[in-house]
Each structure stands twice: as structure tokens, then as C-alpha cells.
Amino acid sequence: MKISKILAGMSAMALAASMMTMGASAEISNANFNNGKDYCFDVFTAVGAEKAATISSVRAKLSFKSIDDLKANGAGGGFITSSDGNNWKSTDFGNDGAGKPITFVVDEASSTATMEKTLTDADKFTGKGEDAMSYAQVVFQSWWGEFSVDNVACYDAAGELVCSVTGDGIDLYKAPEKGGNEVDLSEYKKQTEVTLNGEGRSVSDSGKVRINIKHPWVDDATFNLADDWSAFAGADAIAVTVDISNVTDAFNAYPCFTNGIADGIGYWEASDNNPAVTVNADGTYTFIVKFPSALEMDAKNMFFAINTDLAGTDGEDPAVKMAVKKVVVLNKSDEKPTDSTEPTDSTDSTDSDESKANPTDSVDSKTNSAATSSKAANNASNTNPSTGAAALAAVGVALAGAAVVATKKRK
């Protein structure tokens, strides 16, 4: 049965009910259906069948001529959440003295009242058959008193808003805004995707959230996402694509990079070479780190991460999740670059006595390095980017200590 036929029947019932109750005028001032007698919100039109089926409760806000009129005359009617399972069953509502199952929660200062209906399985907006979803409406009838329907809001079982209508205009359901950005890579004629062995995991280090791509001082596969880093040699730039979710507040993120060579590259804070990207919603973001010339690197000691200014608690998994989806080596020329990978041997800077004092597999080093701040080490590097092998080793130890502690607590 279509809604027009059903509401015609309901109007007759409403008239009979109003005659048996108070003689006060009954009116919905912004009624929009059934010849202006009833208020109807078409849920199916607003959100479609799939979303309508997730609705578990409906809340409404009514307003009145005045609180004195409400106290003197009361107000009541029928609150209907239609489906093919409840046959348009009306749940009566009214003020506290009306003896009805749904009562108002009145705000006297604003002359408004709110109420909520939790849907039983029979009430929910699901149905079968060709026109079953034509039954997905929220309907209000006024049996006595005068009021308007200011707002109808539908929520799912988790309490999340599915859709709402305010006044005479429907606020259609809108999927959460998707974040993301675009990076122009057209100047790079050769683009080589690196084979990854995982997606990494977001961690909190020194009070900030980040995700590691290559961490030379931590023996953890989730901190080292490729088995072969030789593809980076000779790169003009590197692009990293990251899926980011559970975003509630906007934050900035940027690549953090060192090529592992004394007096080499140390991008510890965002700059033109490793620009920050604003993350304002769940989505897929691309970051780029550029090099002044073809990248020279020590593959063993190179460090690469996506850092953020988002606050996190060390030792706890961040609420915001990050997953590395793609790492691409970029070259402006499609000619094969010269392999400039530096050889590594026992005289490597991170094999110095200082670094050996903090081995990454030592329980003591994991414990004692908890207070070591990688950010402080980064700042020290920024103060004098050409401090030589000893400074690079110090940065390595600092970063290793903080990250290993986080790793230990998360395994």
C-alpha cells in the first residue's frame, strides 16, 4: 500500500483521537504532507535503502507557541517510523500528563521539547518487495496542541548520525569528507616503484606520530619496508603514498630523510625539499622529497620516515593510523643513473664505539633510551647540518633508542 492511502487512513484515526481528547486546536505549523496535516520526512529519498537499513533510533525536536501554552493545553500526536514490518504503527507521544508512552523532555527557556524513539526490529527501515522502501518515512501527526517539527535526526547503532532534516529542508546524508592531495610528478620521466614488504605502522616517538619507511637502527620489519634499497641510488626525488585514517583534527605531515653519509642530506624538518602536507580528513596522501642532485646514499644507514606534528603518547598506539601504500623513485631523465651507493664496512659511522654502546637488541638500551628524544637529535642536526660522522652517529643512536622503545612496547 502506498503512503498516500495509508496516511489518508491515519488522518481518519487522528481525527477520531483528537475528538476523544482535548478540544484545543491541533496543528503542525510546518506540516508538509497529507494536505498539510502531517509532517513527513522521507528517509529513503534522503539516504537510499542501504543507509536507511542502518538506522536504529530517531530523535525529534519540536517547538511550541510558548511554554505557557504547552503547560495549559498540552500537545500530543503520533510518532511513526514506517516500515513494511510494523504496518505504519503509530507510537503516541505527549506531555508528562498525557499518559502516553513517549514523553517530552522540555526546555522551558526555548519553548522546545525533544524525544527519541528506539526502533525495534519491526520498526527498522527494511523491507522486501518492489516498493518496500516506499515505507521508509518518519511521520508526525498532531492530535492536540500546536507545534512545529524543527528537526528529525536518524542515528545508527553506534550513535553516528545517518541523516537529518531541519525545518522544511532535508539535509541529505553526506559521506565523510575524503582527504587527499595531488602532487605533480610530470617532470619526472622515469618513475620506478619500489617493492615493499609491508605497510609499516604508525607510532608515537618523542610525543609525535610518525611512520617509518627505513629505520637503520631498529631491527624490525615493520620499520624497514623494503629488502632492497639500491633503487634509491641516483634518484632526483622520491614520492611516498600513504593511507591515513581516524583523522579527527587537521595536522601537518612531511618526509624526514637522511642519506646516511657524513656531511650529507639531513631533512629533519619540513622545507621546500620535503614540503609538509596538511592532513584534514581520512584519505590517501602523497609526499615528495627532492634532492639537489642525483642521490648519493649509504643504504645501510639511510633513514626515511613520514613525520607529523600530531601529538601522540609514547608507548601507546596512535589513534590516527598510517599505512605506506607506495614508494616511487623519480628521475627527470629516463637514462639509467650511475650507482652512487657508498660501500659500507666496519669503519662505518654507526659502527663506532658510541653506537655499539647502544645496540638495538639490548634490553638495557631499550629501557635507558626511553628518555632520548629523536626530535632533540633532529634539532641538533639542523643547528649544524655539517657536523660530520660523529654527529650522524649521535642522531642514529637517538632515533634508534626512541623507536626501539616504541617497538618493544608494541610487539
Side-chain angles (χ1 to χ4, degrees), residues 81-176:
T81 55
S82 63
S83 72
D84 70 342
N86 66 10
N87 196 28
W88 294 86
K89 180 181 178 181
S90 174
T91 303
D92 297 347
F93 67 88
N95 62 313
D96 287 339
K100 303 299 181 181
I102 294 182
T103 56
F104 296 141
V105 178
V106 178
D107 179 0
E108 295 193 13
S110 62
S111 297
T112 62
T114 57
M115 57 185 172
E116 180 174 1
K117 182 177 181 179
T118 300
L119 306 187
T120 66
D121 289 342
D123 293 329
K124 289 185 177 180
F125 300 117
T126 57
K128 301 175 182 178
E130 182 179 349
D131 62 349
M133 289 311 297
S134 67
Y135 292 84
Q137 282 94 15
V138 176
V139 179
F140 288 90
Q141 294 180 301
S142 175
W143 294 353
W144 71 89
E146 297 183 37
F147 59 86
S148 64
V149 182
D150 291 352
N151 177 262
V152 177
C154 301
Y155 296 84
D156 63 18
E160 297 294 330
L161 179 68
V162 176
C163 59
S164 68
V165 57
T166 302
D168 295 326
I170 292 176
D171 299 326
L172 297 182
Y173 171 82
K174 296 180 180 179

XYZ file of all heavy atoms in Angstrom, residues 81-176:
715
model
N 7.460 5.606 12.608
C 8.597 5.237 11.773
C 8.126 4.075 10.923
O 7.973 2.963 11.406
C 9.816 4.828 12.629
O 9.428 3.792 13.522
C 10.335 6.014 13.413
N 7.867 4.357 9.685
C 7.162 3.384 8.858
C 8.091 2.349 8.255
O 9.225 2.640 7.878
C 6.420 4.110 7.738
O 7.340 4.777 6.899
N 7.606 1.120 8.192
C 8.301 0.046 7.503
C 7.258 -0.987 7.122
O 6.113 -0.912 7.580
C 9.367 -0.593 8.395
O 8.743 -1.355 9.407
N 7.629 -1.938 6.320
C 6.653 -2.967 5.978
C 6.513 -3.989 7.084
O 5.724 -4.924 6.996
C 7.016 -3.643 4.644
C 8.268 -4.504 4.753
O 9.028 -4.302 5.721
O 8.492 -5.350 3.875
N 7.285 -3.810 8.176
C 7.203 -4.743 9.287
C 6.275 -4.294 10.389
O 5.812 -5.103 11.192
N 5.980 -2.987 10.488
C 5.127 -2.523 11.578
C 3.775 -1.994 11.098
O 2.988 -1.493 11.900
C 5.846 -1.450 12.406
C 6.110 -0.172 11.631
O 5.603 0.031 10.519
N 6.909 0.711 12.212
N 3.529 -2.073 9.793
C 2.223 -1.687 9.241
C 1.826 -0.281 9.669
O 0.700 -0.023 10.072
C 1.144 -2.691 9.659
C -0.107 -2.564 8.812
O -0.043 -2.144 7.657
N -1.241 -2.937 9.379
N 2.804 0.637 9.620
C 2.574 2.046 9.940
C 2.085 2.243 11.373
O 1.273 3.114 11.666
C 1.582 2.671 8.946
C 2.139 2.743 7.571
C 2.096 1.769 6.627
C 2.843 3.828 6.995
N 2.730 2.182 5.489
C 3.194 3.451 5.677
C 3.208 5.093 7.449
C 3.906 4.281 4.824
C 3.895 5.934 6.587
C 4.247 5.518 5.294
N 2.588 1.453 12.271
C 2.165 1.568 13.660
C 2.574 2.918 14.232
O 3.722 3.332 14.139
C 2.785 0.445 14.485
C 2.395 0.471 15.954
C 3.068 -0.667 16.706
C 2.730 -0.634 18.180
N 3.409 -1.728 18.927
N 1.643 3.578 14.854
C 1.899 4.883 15.458
C 2.198 4.722 16.942
O 1.489 4.013 17.658
C 0.676 5.791 15.280
O 0.861 7.002 15.968
N 3.246 5.357 17.380
C 3.572 5.411 18.806
C 3.113 6.764 19.324
O 3.590 7.809 18.872
C 5.082 5.247 19.042
O 5.511 4.014 18.473
C 5.392 5.254 20.525
N 2.171 6.760 20.247
C 1.629 8.015 20.759
C 2.675 8.760 21.580
O 3.512 8.161 22.245
C 0.410 7.751 21.646
C -0.732 7.106 20.874
O -0.667 7.102 19.635
O -1.667 6.605 21.528
N 2.613 10.071 21.510
C 3.501 10.872 22.357
C 2.692 12.025 22.924
O 1.648 12.417 22.416
C 4.708 11.392 21.569
C 4.368 12.415 20.498
C 4.306 13.773 20.793
C 4.114 12.011 19.199
C 3.993 14.705 19.817
C 3.805 12.940 18.207
C 3.749 14.292 18.509
N 3.180 12.597 24.006
C 2.507 13.737 24.611
C 3.302 14.256 25.783
O 4.389 13.776 26.081
N 2.746 15.250 26.436
C 3.434 15.809 27.585
C 3.308 14.868 28.774
O 2.642 13.834 28.701
C 2.883 17.198 27.915
C 1.413 17.122 28.269
O 0.638 16.485 27.577
N 1.031 17.781 29.357
N 3.940 15.211 29.870
C 4.014 14.293 31.006
C 2.641 13.877 31.516
O 2.465 12.775 32.018
C 4.807 14.934 32.153
C 6.294 14.980 31.844
O 6.731 14.196 30.976
O 7.005 15.794 32.449
N 1.640 14.753 31.382
C 0.323 14.435 31.908
C -0.571 13.724 30.921
O -1.745 13.465 31.219
N -0.054 13.376 29.764
C -0.910 12.814 28.721
C -1.056 11.312 28.824
O -1.901 10.721 28.163
C -0.359 13.167 27.348
N -0.220 10.680 29.613
C -0.322 9.245 29.780
C 0.091 8.467 28.548
O -0.387 7.355 28.316
N 0.988 9.019 27.755
C 1.433 8.377 26.531
C 2.831 7.799 26.729
O 3.593 8.253 27.574
C 1.438 9.379 25.371
C 0.080 10.039 25.120
C -0.983 9.016 24.748
C -2.330 9.677 24.479
N -3.367 8.704 24.149
N 3.181 6.782 25.944
C 4.466 6.101 26.177
C 5.711 6.924 25.867
O 6.771 6.645 26.395
C 4.388 4.877 25.258
C 3.362 5.229 24.235
C 2.382 6.107 24.921
N 5.614 7.906 24.997
C 6.755 8.781 24.736
C 6.443 10.147 25.322
O 5.427 10.757 24.981
C 7.047 8.917 23.223
C 7.516 7.578 22.654
C 8.104 9.988 22.975
C 7.862 7.632 21.183
N 7.269 10.626 26.194
C 7.045 11.930 26.807
C 8.115 12.902 26.376
O 9.205 12.527 25.953
C 7.040 11.823 28.340
O 8.266 11.233 28.756
C 5.883 10.969 28.822
N 7.795 14.161 26.504
C 8.718 15.221 26.133
C 9.797 15.419 27.190
O 9.550 15.238 28.377
C 7.984 16.560 25.985
C 6.966 16.604 24.895
C 5.766 17.265 25.089
C 7.209 16.003 23.676
C 4.826 17.317 24.091
C 6.270 16.054 22.665
C 5.073 16.711 22.876
N 10.952 15.836 26.738
C 11.951 16.427 27.615
C 11.948 17.902 27.260
O 12.429 18.302 26.199
C 13.346 15.808 27.391
C 14.373 16.495 28.285
C 13.314 14.315 27.660
N 11.348 18.690 28.124
C 11.027 20.077 27.785
C 12.127 21.017 28.227
O 12.658 20.910 29.333
C 9.691 20.498 28.422
C 9.386 21.963 28.110
C 8.562 19.606 27.930
N 12.473 21.968 27.339
C 13.364 23.066 27.668
C 12.506 24.318 27.723
O 12.128 24.883 26.687
C 14.453 23.206 26.601
C 15.416 24.354 26.882
O 15.241 25.036 27.913
O 16.330 24.579 26.062
N 12.154 24.742 28.931
C 11.234 25.865 29.081
C 11.805 27.159 28.520
O 11.069 28.000 27.994
C 10.859 26.044 30.553
C 10.078 24.879 31.124
C 9.465 25.207 32.470
O 9.447 26.406 32.843
O 8.996 24.277 33.149
N 13.102 27.353 28.614
C 13.708 28.609 28.153
C 13.496 28.832 26.662
O 13.337 29.967 26.208
C 15.189 28.619 28.488
N 13.488 27.748 25.888
C 13.353 27.887 24.439
C 12.005 27.432 23.907
O 11.761 27.467 22.699
C 14.454 27.082 23.739
O 14.329 25.699 24.051
N 11.110 27.026 24.809
C 9.793 26.523 24.411
C 9.909 25.380 23.417
O 9.184 25.305 22.424
C 8.921 27.649 23.823
O 8.673 28.648 24.776
N 10.850 24.483 23.675
C 11.050 23.330 22.808
C 11.012 22.054 23.637
O 11.112 22.086 24.867
C 12.399 23.411 22.072
O 13.460 23.407 23.027
C 12.493 24.658 21.213
N 10.876 20.947 22.936
C 10.913 19.640 23.585
C 11.578 18.651 22.652
O 11.507 18.782 21.422
C 9.508 19.177 23.945
N 12.251 17.673 23.217
C 12.892 16.629 22.425
C 12.362 15.272 22.861
O 11.896 15.099 23.992
C 14.419 16.652 22.599
O 14.737 16.508 23.984
C 15.005 17.934 22.067
N 12.430 14.318 21.965
C 12.046 12.951 22.287
C 12.779 12.016 21.350
O 13.288 12.416 20.299
C 10.537 12.760 22.174
C 9.938 13.104 20.838
S 8.141 12.976 20.901
C 7.697 13.672 19.304
N 12.849 10.757 21.734
C 13.589 9.775 20.953
C 12.823 8.470 20.905
O 12.193 8.066 21.886
C 14.972 9.531 21.559
C 15.802 8.501 20.796
C 17.226 8.378 21.312
O 17.559 9.087 22.287
O 17.999 7.590 20.756
N 12.883 7.818 19.745
C 12.251 6.513 19.575
C 13.322 5.523 19.141
O 13.975 5.704 18.118
C 11.145 6.588 18.524
C 10.404 5.265 18.326
C 9.266 5.442 17.328
C 8.487 4.141 17.141
N 7.364 4.306 16.182
N 13.511 4.484 19.958
C 14.426 3.412 19.590
C 13.658 2.389 18.759
O 12.577 1.936 19.159
C 15.007 2.739 20.841
O 15.720 3.720 21.608
C 15.963 1.624 20.455
N 14.196 2.025 17.615
C 13.476 1.176 16.686
C 13.619 -0.297 17.051
O 14.726 -0.794 17.283
C 13.992 1.393 15.261
C 13.999 2.839 14.743
C 14.365 2.855 13.269
C 12.657 3.523 14.970
N 12.490 -0.984 17.116
C 12.518 -2.431 17.238
C 12.855 -3.017 15.869
O 12.900 -2.298 14.863
C 11.156 -2.969 17.701
O 10.182 -2.716 16.678
C 10.721 -2.285 18.993
N 13.073 -4.300 15.815
C 13.353 -4.923 14.518
C 12.223 -4.680 13.531
O 12.449 -4.470 12.336
C 13.578 -6.430 14.693
C 14.896 -6.748 15.377
O 15.775 -5.860 15.397
O 15.041 -7.873 15.891
N 10.997 -4.696 14.029
C 9.847 -4.463 13.156
C 9.773 -3.013 12.688
O 9.255 -2.727 11.608
C 8.553 -4.843 13.872
N 10.294 -2.088 13.510
C 10.231 -0.669 13.161
C 11.286 -0.250 12.145
O 11.148 0.778 11.494
C 10.431 0.195 14.419
C 9.282 0.066 15.404
O 8.148 -0.163 14.951
O 9.534 0.187 16.610
N 12.361 -1.017 12.036
C 13.501 -0.558 11.240
C 13.148 -0.440 9.762
O 12.247 -1.111 9.261
C 14.694 -1.501 11.442
C 15.299 -1.363 12.829
C 16.543 -2.205 12.998
C 17.152 -1.982 14.388
N 18.368 -2.792 14.580
N 13.900 0.437 9.087
C 13.595 0.770 7.705
C 14.165 -0.279 6.747
O 15.081 -0.018 5.977
C 14.158 2.149 7.371
C 13.602 3.243 8.239
C 14.420 3.961 9.077
C 12.251 3.535 8.235
C 13.924 4.968 9.883
C 11.728 4.539 9.037
C 12.566 5.255 9.866
N 13.611 -1.457 6.845
C 13.987 -2.522 5.921
C 12.704 -3.094 5.338
O 11.625 -2.954 5.916
C 14.756 -3.644 6.628
O 13.958 -4.155 7.700
C 16.074 -3.126 7.177
N 12.817 -3.728 4.210
C 11.615 -4.277 3.622
C 11.917 -5.172 2.450
O 13.057 -5.268 1.999
N 10.904 -5.847 1.969
C 11.039 -6.735 0.839
C 9.978 -6.368 -0.195
O 8.950 -5.791 0.129
C 10.866 -8.196 1.272
C 11.869 -8.662 2.321
C 11.566 -10.073 2.788
C 12.536 -10.512 3.870
N 12.221 -11.873 4.385
N 10.251 -6.732 -1.413
C 9.270 -6.461 -2.452
C 9.609 -5.218 -3.242
O 10.500 -4.438 -2.899
N 8.845 -5.006 -4.297
C 9.145 -3.957 -5.272
C 9.148 -2.563 -4.672
O 10.004 -1.744 -4.961
C 8.129 -4.033 -6.422
C 8.386 -3.016 -7.520
C 7.380 -3.139 -8.643
O 6.620 -4.137 -8.662
O 7.351 -2.254 -9.506
N 8.187 -2.253 -3.830
C 8.079 -0.891 -3.298
C 8.257 -0.854 -1.785
O 7.744 0.026 -1.106
C 6.740 -0.275 -3.686
C 5.558 -1.049 -3.093
O 5.762 -2.162 -2.573
O 4.440 -0.518 -3.183
N 9.003 -1.817 -1.241
C 9.137 -1.904 0.211
C 9.725 -0.632 0.800
O 9.306 -0.184 1.864
C 10.006 -3.109 0.584
N 10.712 -0.043 0.126
C 11.373 1.115 0.725
C 10.547 2.387 0.597
O 10.924 3.429 1.101
C 12.755 1.303 0.105
C 13.758 0.226 0.531
S 13.824 -0.070 2.309
C 14.383 1.512 2.898
N 9.388 2.331 -0.053
C 8.496 3.490 -0.006
C 7.918 3.640 1.391
O 7.286 4.634 1.718
C 7.366 3.340 -1.026
O 6.502 2.280 -0.661
N 8.151 2.637 2.247
C 7.682 2.682 3.622
C 8.689 3.360 4.555
O 8.468 3.393 5.755
C 7.433 1.266 4.147
C 6.282 0.550 3.498
C 6.455 -0.118 2.297
C 5.037 0.538 4.102
C 5.397 -0.799 1.714
C 3.973 -0.140 3.525
C 4.155 -0.806 2.322
O 3.111 -1.468 1.756
N 9.787 3.838 4.036
C 10.825 4.404 4.904
C 10.577 5.896 5.121
O 11.207 6.754 4.508
C 12.207 4.169 4.305
N 9.630 6.186 5.998
C 9.329 7.571 6.350
C 9.220 7.739 7.858
O 8.880 6.788 8.581
C 7.999 8.036 5.728
C 8.067 8.401 4.257
C 7.698 7.230 3.371
O 7.135 6.255 3.853
N 8.024 7.328 2.100
N 9.523 8.959 8.320
C 9.223 9.364 9.691
C 8.066 10.349 9.593
O 8.157 11.339 8.871
C 10.431 10.023 10.374
C 10.058 10.528 11.764
C 11.592 9.041 10.464
N 6.978 10.051 10.293
C 5.763 10.859 10.191
C 5.347 11.337 11.581
O 5.423 10.582 12.554
C 4.618 10.052 9.553
C 3.340 10.900 9.465
C 5.021 9.536 8.178
N 4.900 12.602 11.652
C 4.335 13.147 12.889
C 2.923 13.635 12.601
O 2.666 14.262 11.574
C 5.180 14.313 13.416
C 6.486 13.871 13.992
C 7.614 13.775 13.190
C 6.590 13.529 15.331
C 8.826 13.353 13.710
C 7.797 13.101 15.856
C 8.916 13.009 15.045
N 2.028 13.329 13.524
C 0.666 13.842 13.475
C 0.377 14.597 14.762
O 0.832 14.191 15.836
C -0.346 12.708 13.332
C -0.243 11.975 12.010
C -1.266 10.868 11.920
O -1.277 9.964 12.751
N -2.129 10.931 10.928
N -0.350 15.657 14.649
C -0.760 16.423 15.822
C -2.197 16.063 16.161
O -3.093 16.211 15.327
C -0.654 17.926 15.543
O -1.148 18.662 16.637
N -2.408 15.593 17.377
C -3.750 15.240 17.816
C -4.329 16.305 18.742
O -5.525 16.453 18.845
C -3.748 13.882 18.520
C -3.390 12.757 17.584
C -3.226 12.848 16.224
C -3.160 11.406 17.929
N -2.899 11.629 15.700
C -2.851 10.699 16.726
C -3.163 10.689 19.126
C -2.566 9.344 16.687
C -2.889 9.338 19.094
C -2.593 8.662 17.893
N -3.470 16.986 19.468
C -3.904 18.172 20.200
C -2.706 19.062 20.454
O -1.560 18.614 20.432
C -4.602 17.796 21.512
C -3.722 17.238 22.597
C -3.064 17.943 23.558
C -3.422 15.871 22.833
N -2.345 17.106 24.370
C -2.566 15.811 23.960
C -3.791 14.670 22.224
C -2.074 14.620 24.474
C -3.315 13.489 22.733
C -2.463 13.468 23.846
N -2.989 20.323 20.661
C -1.917 21.283 20.852
C -1.367 21.765 19.515
O -1.770 21.300 18.438
N -0.456 22.706 19.581
C 0.157 23.262 18.382
C 1.672 23.197 18.504
O 2.234 23.567 19.529
C -0.292 24.718 18.173
C -1.779 24.880 17.947
C -2.145 26.323 17.670
O -1.365 27.022 17.004
O -3.219 26.749 18.143
N 2.311 22.750 17.455
C 3.767 22.675 17.473
C 4.281 22.614 16.038
O 3.528 22.408 15.085
C 4.248 21.456 18.270
C 3.764 20.130 17.744
C 4.449 19.448 16.739
C 2.606 19.547 18.268
C 3.997 18.220 16.261
C 2.156 18.318 17.800
C 2.847 17.655 16.792
N 5.584 22.778 15.903
C 6.270 22.553 14.632
C 7.350 21.512 14.858
O 7.809 21.319 15.986
C 6.894 23.853 14.099
O 7.900 24.315 14.976
N 7.714 20.834 13.793
C 8.779 19.842 13.859
C 10.056 20.516 13.366
O 10.236 20.742 12.177
C 8.456 18.599 13.007
C 9.568 17.564 13.126
C 7.118 18.001 13.419
N 10.911 20.860 14.299
C 12.118 21.608 13.948
C 13.215 20.733 13.384
O 13.977 21.142 12.516
C 12.663 22.345 15.178
C 11.747 23.477 15.612
O 10.793 23.777 14.872
O 11.983 24.045 16.688
N 13.336 19.520 13.920
C 14.437 18.664 13.489
C 14.077 17.205 13.686
O 13.476 16.837 14.687
C 15.718 18.995 14.265
C 16.874 18.076 13.901
O 17.136 17.110 14.612
N 17.548 18.356 12.812
N 14.426 16.383 12.701
C 14.357 14.931 12.821
C 15.739 14.398 12.470
O 16.283 14.733 11.411
C 13.307 14.312 11.877
C 13.338 12.786 11.988
C 11.922 14.848 12.190
N 16.326 13.609 13.350
C 17.670 13.079 13.129
C 17.654 11.568 13.318
O 17.073 11.065 14.280
C 18.673 13.720 14.089
N 18.287 10.860 12.395
C 18.341 9.398 12.430
C 19.766 8.951 12.719
O 20.715 9.459 12.113
C 17.869 8.824 11.096
S 16.177 9.304 10.639
N 19.908 7.963 13.621
C 21.215 7.509 14.072
C 21.344 5.997 13.900
O 20.355 5.262 13.979
C 21.438 7.872 15.549
C 21.474 9.360 15.793
C 20.291 10.073 15.960
C 22.679 10.048 15.851
C 20.303 11.446 16.176
C 22.711 11.415 16.071
C 21.525 12.111 16.228
O 21.552 13.468 16.436
N 22.582 5.555 13.692
C 22.824 4.121 13.606
C 23.079 3.551 15.002
O 23.022 4.275 16.007
C 23.969 3.800 12.646
C 25.313 4.368 13.098
O 25.460 4.703 14.286
O 26.230 4.470 12.258
N 23.374 2.259 15.070
C 23.535 1.592 16.367
C 24.705 2.141 17.170
O 24.715 2.057 18.404
C 23.701 0.090 16.154
N 25.697 2.702 16.491
C 26.859 3.278 17.179
C 26.626 4.715 17.609
O 27.509 5.346 18.189
C 28.084 3.205 16.267
N 25.434 5.246 17.321
C 25.134 6.623 17.687
C 25.628 7.649 16.699
O 25.606 8.852 16.981
N 26.058 7.196 15.520
C 26.528 8.118 14.497
C 25.350 8.606 13.660
O 24.445 7.845 13.316
C 27.554 7.443 13.583
C 28.822 7.000 14.297
C 29.636 8.172 14.811
O 29.579 9.246 14.181
O 30.307 8.026 15.842
N 25.383 9.896 13.333
C 24.310 10.496 12.540
C 24.288 9.895 11.138
O 25.301 9.860 10.445
C 24.503 12.011 12.451
C 23.455 12.772 11.630
C 22.101 12.724 12.328
C 23.898 14.220 11.425
N 23.127 9.416 10.722
C 22.952 8.901 9.364
C 22.370 9.981 8.464
O 22.818 10.189 7.340
C 22.043 7.655 9.361
C 21.771 7.174 7.935
C 22.674 6.544 10.181
N 21.341 10.687 8.951
C 20.761 11.781 8.183
C 19.920 12.631 9.109
O 19.564 12.216 10.212
C 19.916 11.252 7.019
S 18.550 10.183 7.541
N 19.589 13.824 8.659
C 18.732 14.694 9.455
C 17.982 15.636 8.536
O 18.366 15.858 7.390
C 19.555 15.490 10.474
O 20.376 16.435 9.818
N 16.902 16.179 9.054
C 16.127 17.185 8.343
C 15.874 18.315 9.322
O 15.558 18.099 10.490
C 14.799 16.612 7.799
C 13.976 16.021 8.906
C 14.013 17.683 7.075
N 16.042 19.539 8.854
C 15.838 20.713 9.688
C 14.789 21.595 9.037
O 14.933 21.963 7.864
C 17.138 21.507 9.869
O 18.113 20.645 10.454
C 16.929 22.713 10.763
N 13.739 21.913 9.783
C 12.695 22.744 9.219
C 12.081 22.090 7.996
O 11.738 20.915 8.009
N 11.998 22.833 6.918
C 11.388 22.312 5.697
C 12.408 21.757 4.723
O 12.046 21.318 3.633
C 10.584 23.427 4.996
C 9.390 23.871 5.843
O 8.824 23.006 6.523
O 9.065 25.062 5.814
N 13.685 21.799 5.074
C 14.702 21.350 4.126
C 15.422 20.119 4.617
O 15.806 20.026 5.780
N 15.610 19.143 3.746
C 16.279 17.903 4.126
C 17.785 18.060 3.982
O 18.277 18.525 2.957
C 15.792 16.732 3.246
C 14.325 16.423 3.557
C 16.631 15.493 3.470
C 13.735 15.346 2.677
N 18.498 17.705 5.027
C 19.953 17.611 4.950
C 20.281 16.191 4.523
O 20.233 15.272 5.339
C 20.601 17.909 6.305
C 20.294 19.312 6.782
O 20.181 20.196 5.920
O 20.163 19.505 7.993
N 20.586 16.016 3.261
C 20.860 14.680 2.766
C 22.101 14.124 3.441
O 23.024 14.852 3.799
C 21.056 14.696 1.252
C 19.843 15.131 0.429
C 20.183 15.054 -1.052
C 18.640 14.254 0.719
N 22.118 12.808 3.572
C 23.289 12.154 4.137
C 24.506 12.448 3.274
O 24.450 12.376 2.043
C 23.091 10.637 4.202
C 24.344 9.892 4.563
C 24.728 9.772 5.883
C 25.156 9.350 3.578
C 25.890 9.109 6.225
C 26.313 8.681 3.909
C 26.671 8.558 5.238
O 27.827 7.903 5.564
N 25.574 12.783 3.912
C 26.828 13.036 3.199
C 27.898 12.113 3.763
O 28.113 12.067 4.967
C 27.267 14.492 3.359
C 26.294 15.494 2.744
C 26.774 16.924 2.941
C 25.792 17.905 2.335
N 26.231 19.315 2.543
N 28.528 11.388 2.865
C 29.629 10.541 3.306
C 30.721 11.416 3.900
O 30.855 12.578 3.531
C 30.170 9.742 2.124
N 31.486 10.896 4.853
C 32.566 11.695 5.433
C 33.484 12.246 4.354
O 33.781 11.567 3.372
C 33.307 10.675 6.314
C 32.281 9.639 6.637
C 31.408 9.544 5.424
